[in-house]
Amino acid sequence: MSAEIKVPTLGESVTTATVAKWLKQPGDSVSADDPVAELETDKVSVEVPAPQAGVLGPLLVPEGAEVEVGTVLSTVEAGTGKPAAPVAKPAPAPAAGVQAQPLSTGPVARPATPASDVAAQGAAHAPFPAAQKIMTEQGVSATQVGTGSGKDGRITKGDVQAFLAQPRAATPTAAPRPPRQDDPREERVKMTRLRRTIARRLKDAQNTAALLTTFNEVDMSAVKAMRAEYKDAFAKKHNGAKLGFMSIFSRAVIAALQEFPAINAEIDGDDVIYREFVNLGIAVGGPNGLVVPVIRDADQKSFAEIESAIAGFGKKAREGTLKIDELSGGTFSITNGGIYGSLMSTPIINAPQSAILGMHSIQDRPVAVDGQVVIRPMMYIALTYDHRIVDGKEAVSFLVRVKQNVEDPRRLLLQV
């Protein structure tokens, strides 16, 4: 009895994946739920399990091919049998501009259009009604305007007006770029799907949002003293959870977001969506790059619950087991470059969010306190925000409030 191995449902808004690696080969014996293939989506890696015990059949899709949800990858024959035919090897990389068709020992799974291209095409042809009216009147196509600033890249009225306001200058024809000759000491490696998605999203954020960064510095003396005094009791009380800086900054940020709601808001076309909850994204490093899992309803969680969530996300990121729904729905993000030694940086927002807080390394520095120069553990913090929705006064005031909450954690308890 044969059972098909299909591409599973990948999560909300994710319809395609890349076959990153076959974990089993034709003829291998597998048990039910044994992982046989690894798929790479725009966000995470997903293992595909065997639907039953038996022998793995021919691999119908080679590594590197893009597949849609429901595509048959292989089969599992019940019982034991002769080894199946070997996996098809992908054709050599084609010349620039030519799309390769994967080979297989069975039916060909035609690669789907990359998710980034689908998103770009959909965004370029999804203007809001008001925008479409102006485009029709002016004879402008969605392709000319490009990706819009609305949700999911939709074109807004403001995008069209900004395009029409641009000077119409003849674009000189660029000289063709000669083919790059690889040095034998170089290694050419194809970007992973996750890395391509990160690059696209960060560039889209730069192109769409009016990004600005404001800085401040925090005296970490009170936090360090509090941790030293209570870390053992905290771990004993909360099943080994460590009292770290991230939970303290998270609570400080949540309190400040409740005071300055525009920083927790989102632009959707010509509307602003304000929220009465905080879904807090925490950037963590994984083997395939930086990912931002989300602590949902973080404003309802305690220090211990936030610490446990962050520790769990870090473990999953290292193991590559984060789920897609754990990486979506964030309303504000925190990234800590200090764990890598960064002294100061300008983080980029995680669109469609309107702001992100950057933490950095702690260094002993001389500062003036009550007219005296003293050495204190200091940290620079940075807030990058979308100036279209967040005013400079709000951004600076928000960062000052975060600073005050961290420098005097009693404010979080007293809610002042």
Side-chain angles (χ1 to χ4, degrees), residues 396-415:
V396 172
S397 299
F398 171 87
L399 203 59
V400 168
R401 182 67 72 236
V402 172
K403 166 185 169 70
Q404 292 171 340
N405 290 340
V406 174
E407 289 187 338
D408 187 359
R410 295 172 298 178
R411 297 175 62 96
L412 300 175
L413 177 63
L414 300 174
Q415 297 181 335

Side-chain angles (χ1 to χ4, degrees), residues 267-347:
I267 292 179
D268 184 11
D270 294 332
D271 301 326
V272 177
I273 300 175
Y274 292 94
R275 303 180 175 92
E276 296 181 356
F277 61 91
V278 177
N279 287 348
L280 190 63
I282 303 292
V284 295
N288 295 322
L290 197 69
V291 291
V292 188
V294 176
I295 304 175
R296 298 187 181 279
D297 296 316
D299 52 310
Q300 304 298 319
K301 289 181 167 50
S302 66
F303 283 84
E305 289 172 322
I306 291 174
E307 287 290 356
S308 296
I310 294 173
F313 286 149
K315 183 175 184 292
K316 287 184 176 182
R318 291 188 296 272
E319 296 173 348
T321 58
L322 280 168
K323 304 298 183 184
I324 291 175
D325 60 358
E326 293 175 315
L327 297 167
S328 59
T331 62
F332 183 90
S333 295
I334 300 176
T335 181
N336 184 7
I339 60 176
Y340 304 111
S342 172
L343 180 62
M344 186 179 291
S345 67
T346 56

Side-chain angles (χ1 to χ4, degrees), residues 77 136 149 151 155 171 190 237:
E77 303 291 338
T136 301
S149 59
K151 186 176 181 180
I155 298 173
T171 303
K190 187 175 181 62
K237 172 73 174 179

Side-chain angles (χ1 to χ4, degrees), residues 41-71:
T41 72
D42 289 349
K43 298 179 178 179
V44 292
S45 294
V46 178
E47 289 185 341
V48 182
Q52 66 180 26
V55 177
L56 187 65
L59 310 187
L60 305 181
V61 181
E63 293 181 357
E66 294 204 27
V67 290
E68 296 180 343
V69 172
T71 299

Side-chain angles (χ1 to χ4, degrees), residues 16-20 38-42 44-46 192-194 288:
T16 64
T18 301
V19 180
E38 185 177 283
L39 304 180
E40 188 180 72
T41 72
D42 289 349
V44 292
S45 294
V46 178
T192 65
R193 187 186 182 101
L194 175 62
N288 295 322

